[in-house]
Amino acid sequence: MTSERRLAQAAPWTEVTTTTADWDAADPALLTTMYGQLLLIRSFEEYVLELAGAGLVHGPAHSSVGQEGGAVGSVLALADRDTVNGSHRGHHQFLAKALHHIEPKGLDPRADASADVRALLLRTLAEICGLDRGFSHGRGGSMHLRWREAGALGTNAIVGGGVPLAAGSAWAHRQAGTDAVAVTYFGDGAVNIGSTLETFNLAAAWRLPLCFFVENNQYAVSTSVEEATGEPRLSARGPGFGIASWKTDGMDPLAVHLTTRAALAHLRAGLGPALVEADVYRYFHQNGALPGSAFGYRSKEEERAWRARDPLALVARHLQRRGLFTAAELTESGERAARLVAGLGDELLEPAPGGRPGQRRVRPAEWPDPSFVDVGVRGDLAEFDGARYAEADTFDGQLTERRFVDAIAAVMARRMETDPSVVVLGEDVHRLKGGTNGATRGLKEAFPDRVIGTPICENAFTGTAGGIALDGRFTPVVEFMYADFMWVAADQLFNQIGKVRHMFGGTTAVPLVLRSKVATGTGYGAQHSMDPAGILATAPGLRVAAPSTPFDYVGLMNSALRCQDPVVVLEHVDLYLSRGPAPVDDWDYCVPVGRAAVRRAGARLTVLTYLAMTGCVLRAVDQVGVDAEVVDLRWLDRASVDWDTIGRSVRKTGVVLVAEQGAAGTSYGGWLADELQRRFFDWLDHPVQRLTGGEASPAISKALERAAIAGEAEVAAKLTEMAGY
């Protein structure tokens, strides 16, 4: 007969509650500061709702009124070197960390706020209102609050989107040899998001000093926790991943504080991540100043029961009970905080001309200049001052024939040797003698702590790399085994990494390189064979490099690693085993960002192409015998296209073909042809021609795959057709 044995989780799961004795033992300075932070944050949030009700906050106002105890109780346990990020409902998280940074010795609500505290509240309110003096010049608004100097890495509008980024911060803390930790705040809805669960696993596998702080406010918009999950005690998720977990009452700031201290001791001891679940309650609906009961998904009785446990009132009662505050001092402190916050509005607002009595508007001088709209989507490339550039035909070093894939490994080895900040991560990059294609050959042996094999979790490891880049101490190089896998990590690549520089004011460096292979023609089918260039090139914030020779790969990778923008480097499988000129021992030159290469001069027509299609075009031109100028684009994103080289060729030939292998629907040439016709209409003798694959994704069948993509034969046919123009 079978036998059964009940299994227990290896990681501890603990519930923490406080007693009167805990409150009596608490440091008076801690309780005073706790009350001061709670008062300021509550007053601030109530004022934001007032402005939102008056139409002075453009977009949502996700209030944290009622939830302040979780943020304040936990942040006051942190050190200034620790970092936090948060959710779309993150005013309280941001303010708690920033206030703790400004006033590390504590706040006394009986005294007037310092000039620094007032400046913080004013900048935060300005950001929420979308004004120029805000932390991100109004670009971030309510849901994207960031102050790096205070360790506030940014709140996030994508549910669960910030969790992988916090893992990157935690990794950087540990790699730098510090005992600092990262805390990522998110709600009950994010517990069910794939990026969150992926990061649970990654953090546990890597034993990162990361605290997952779940503010369980009982509802994801209007859907209750009980409806959304079979285990409403959300901290139960932690032990399943091997994460030590705690559950506590988030309406009790001291209980949160003591719980966080226990979690921090675990983290700083190097025992791996921690998870804290704090049960809290938002007094208002998802957005705005109406209660949830007004929308029918909560009862008034439920709301009254939670309000009776208000964290602000709880701390006030204990302060008075212990004789630390009088009733009059509590009242005066509340009035002082309200006056402070209202005064911020007086600085930003003025009476609306011709409006109703009491109606106000934003002072016109407070708005950002509309010309600022696109500034900082990418950096200005000032980091390339002093860079040494080279091209194969003018290179003054020694060249030799080398396999393309060997050039990848060689330049990465050189950069990791000369720059200790460079780290490599991805699936199997540390195994198989250099990953699945040999591109990381020898790196793990030479740099064992900087070549990191990841679990299969594209969202988590891409976001972790994003967090590492934003930390600023390291430069991550991420390998995606296939370009199609980018869409598994689309949130982190497009919503987070691609947008973060611009979203947070245009000055945030994101030194990240993502390498990925284009496997068109390898028989791997529809989900491993796409050319992503057409989508990547139109995504704001990313730069895209597409090398077609070993020499260019070296220079383009050096530029990608020097660049302070995120760069996607595409590698075509057909090129890996191809051979071409490469340096013998000089691996330090750059190919300029935004510089194309004329591979063949000609006067009859211009062909614009990239990656492996460059070789197809050159062979087809020789086969057909047409006098074509072949331009290898090399940089594909909108900001980096070499319009000067293209323009010279177009003015010379008047006829243009954009040739690519990939599918018609996601074609890179679609937007490029449109832009060519806008820029060079007066010099074009004919509409820009395009050559792409078919509509369908490549199939497994060799015959169907070949029919789905464009190659040398299709280029030759198109050139023959165009020769008659």
Side-chain angles (χ1 to χ4, degrees):
M1 293 187 56
T2 60
S3 63
E4 294 183 357
R5 177 170 61 90
R6 291 183 65 87
L7 299 176
Q9 70 272 9
W13 183 25
T14 308
E15 185 167 13
V16 177
T17 57
T18 58
T19 65
T20 302
D22 293 309
W23 285 93
D24 289 341
D27 185 344
L30 170 66
L31 297 183
T32 299
T33 292
M34 193 175 282
Y35 189 64
Q37 281 215 12
L38 289 167
L39 262 182
L40 281 178
I41 294 171
R42 175 68 62 86
S43 298
F44 183 90
E45 288 282 67
E46 289 176 341
Y47 190 67
V48 167
L49 288 176
E50 180 184 326
L51 295 185
L56 294 167
V57 176
H58 184 61
H62 295 111
S63 162
S64 64
V65 174
Q67 296 188 198
E68 305 94 341
V72 171
S74 57
V75 164
L76 289 178
L78 300 178
D80 196 50
R81 63 187 180 278
D82 300 324
T83 50
V84 306
N85 72 358
S87 67
H88 61 284
R89 190 181 310 285
H91 302 166
H92 58 322
Q93 302 152 3
F94 174 81
L95 285 174
K97 186 66 167 78
L99 287 167
H100 194 34
H101 170 70
I102 287 173
E103 300 286 358
K105 295 182 179 179
L107 284 171
D108 189 337
R110 293 166 293 194
D112 289 338
S114 69
D116 287 341
V117 168
R118 188 181 186 280
L120 162 67
L121 297 175
L122 183 60
R123 286 188 74 187
T124 307
L125 185 63
E127 186 60 44
I128 291 170
C129 292
L131 308 182
D132 186 58
R133 72 166 82 189
F135 283 94
S136 301
H137 302 285
R139 283 182 178 161
S142 170
M143 297 186 290
H144 310 108
L145 295 168
R146 185 174 195 263
W147 188 18
R148 179 180 175 180
E149 291 75 10
L153 303 179
T155 55
N156 204 291
I158 302 295
V159 174
V163 178
L165 297 172
S169 179
W171 184 91
H173 289 324
R174 188 183 65 187
Q175 186 74 1
T178 76
D179 71 343
V181 308
V183 181
T184 183
Y185 293 92
F186 52 94
D188 46 277
V191 166
N192 299 318
I193 291 287
S195 58
T196 302
L197 299 173
E198 286 184 19
T199 309
F200 282 179
N201 181 66
L202 183 111
W206 291 0
R207 299 177 73 82
L208 295 180
L210 174 61
C211 179
F212 299 97
F213 196 100
V214 186
E215 288 187 319
N216 183 357
N217 69 15
Q218 319 305 313
Y219 294 90
V221 187
S222 64
T223 302
S224 70
V225 171
E226 286 76 10
E227 292 176 84
T229 181
E231 172 51 273
R233 298 171 302 171
L234 302 181
S235 47
R237 303 291 177 91
F241 287 91
I243 298 174
S245 300
W246 287 263
K247 181 176 175 60
T248 194
D249 180 5
M251 307 302 276
D252 180 342
L254 183 60
V256 174
H257 183 77
L258 296 174
T259 303
T260 306
R261 283 173 53 183
L264 288 172
H266 174 91
L267 292 165
R268 296 200 204 279
L271 300 177
L275 187 152
V276 173
E277 177 191 7
D279 287 323
V280 296
Y281 199 76
R282 53 174 165 84
Y283 291 170
F284 300 103
H285 179 53
Q286 164 78 354
N287 176 29
L290 292 174
S293 57
F295 298 86
Y297 63 89
R298 302 193 312 205
S299 69
K300 292 181 179 180
E301 291 75 20
E302 176 185 304
E303 291 172 344
R304 281 195 295 268
W306 279 93
R307 279 182 175 267
R309 300 169 53 200
D310 186 87
L312 195 58
L314 175 66
V315 177
R317 286 198 301 272
H318 283 290
L319 286 171
Q320 188 173 358
R321 180 185 63 79
R322 288 187 56 184
L324 301 174
F325 277 62
T326 66
E329 286 175 326
L330 291 170
T331 300
E332 290 166 4
S333 296
E335 292 171 350
R336 179 178 285 103
R339 285 195 303 271
L340 169 64
V341 174
L344 307 177
D346 293 340
E347 187 164 338
L348 299 175
L349 306 173
E350 67 181 13
R356 303 183 305 275
Q359 184 179 5
R360 295 193 290 177
R361 70 171 187 180
V362 171
R363 296 181 187 273
E366 295 291 337
W367 292 111
D369 189 318
S371 66
F372 186 62
V373 62
D374 286 334
V375 172
V377 172
R378 299 172 185 83
D380 61 4
L381 301 179
E383 62 269 27
F384 283 88
D385 291 348
R388 178 169 68 89
Y389 297 117
E391 298 287 353
D393 56 356
T394 59
F395 187 61
D396 56 8
Q398 281 187 286
L399 294 176
T400 187
E401 289 287 306
R402 189 184 291 267
R403 293 195 312 170
F404 191 98
V405 71
D406 294 335
I408 298 175
V411 70
M412 285 305 306
R414 173 62 175 167
R415 292 282 67 78
M416 295 186 78
E417 175 190 2
T418 58
D419 184 352
S421 76
V422 176
V423 297
V424 173
L425 60 158
E427 295 158 359
D428 296 306
V429 295
H430 62 320
R431 297 276 194 263
L432 306 176
K433 298 182 179 179
T436 55
N437 289 96
T440 55
R441 185 182 300 275
L443 299 185
K444 180 65 175 178
E445 293 76 17
F447 313 101
D449 65 333
R450 291 161 54 201
V451 178
I452 307 161
T454 68
I456 298 176
C457 57
E458 280 81 6
N459 241 319
F461 73 69
T462 302
T464 296
I468 293 170
L470 290 169
D471 173 85
R473 287 174 287 187
F474 300 94
T475 302
V477 179
V478 182
E479 179 181 298
F480 268 25
M481 201 176 289
Y482 292 91
D484 308 66
F485 298 174
M486 293 183 196
W487 272 254
V488 180
D491 172 45
Q492 295 302 316
L493 184 56
F494 297 113
N495 275 328
Q496 311 296 340
I497 293 165
K499 293 179 181 177
V500 68
R501 176 191 277 274
H502 183 261
M503 183 170 68
F504 288 130
T507 59
T508 302
V510 193
L512 179 147
V513 176
L514 190 154
R515 297 178 39 247
S516 187
K517 68 187 178 193
V518 177
T520 308
T522 61
Y524 269 74
Q527 295 176 337
H528 285 66
S529 304
M530 79 173 299
D531 177 352
I535 298 173
L536 292 174
T538 56
L542 301 176
R543 294 188 188 268
V544 184
S548 65
T549 70
F551 184 93
D552 279 3
Y553 189 95
V554 173
L556 290 170
M557 177 54 73
N558 284 332
S559 291
L561 285 166
R562 190 179 185 113
C563 189
Q564 294 297 293
D565 297 323
V567 181
V568 179
V569 179
L570 297 177
E571 303 166 4
H572 200 291
V573 166
D574 283 355
L575 295 173
Y576 278 156
L577 300 182
S578 69
R579 304 184 72 87
V584 172
D585 53 14
D586 179 358
W587 304 98
D588 299 330
Y589 60 88
C590 293
V591 166
V593 176
R595 181 77 57 79
V598 177
R599 300 298 184 197
R600 182 189 186 280
R604 182 67 187 84
L605 60 89
T606 298
V607 185
L608 306 179
T609 188
Y610 61 94
L611 285 181
M613 196 60 156
T614 304
C616 293
V617 169
L618 290 170
R619 291 189 295 273
V621 167
D622 288 342
Q623 175 188 334
V624 173
V626 64
D627 185 19
E629 183 149 292
V630 179
V631 179
D632 183 354
L633 295 169
R634 300 199 295 195
W635 292 93
L636 305 182
D637 59 277
R638 297 179 68 95
S640 307
V641 172
D642 185 353
W643 295 113
D644 291 338
T645 296
I646 293 171
R648 285 192 295 271
S649 186
V650 171
R651 290 181 180 93
K652 178 168 54 173
T653 68
V655 179
V656 180
L657 169 65
V658 181
E660 56 188 310
Q661 271 192 323
T666 54
S667 163
Y668 175 77
W671 84 268
L672 184 63
D674 174 73
E675 191 68 23
L676 285 165
Q677 288 173 158
R678 294 176 189 278
R679 288 174 180 257
F680 305 116
F681 181 82
D682 290 343
W683 287 275
L684 289 169
D685 297 330
H686 296 274
V688 173
Q689 298 295 295
R690 292 171 54 203
L691 176 65
T692 71
E695 181 179 0
S697 299
I700 294 292
S701 165
K702 189 172 184 178
L704 293 177
E705 179 182 51
R706 180 63 188 87
I709 62 178
E712 184 178 333
E714 287 76 18
V715 176
K718 189 66 177 178
L719 291 174
T720 300
E721 172 193 329
M722 294 178 67
Y725 287 177

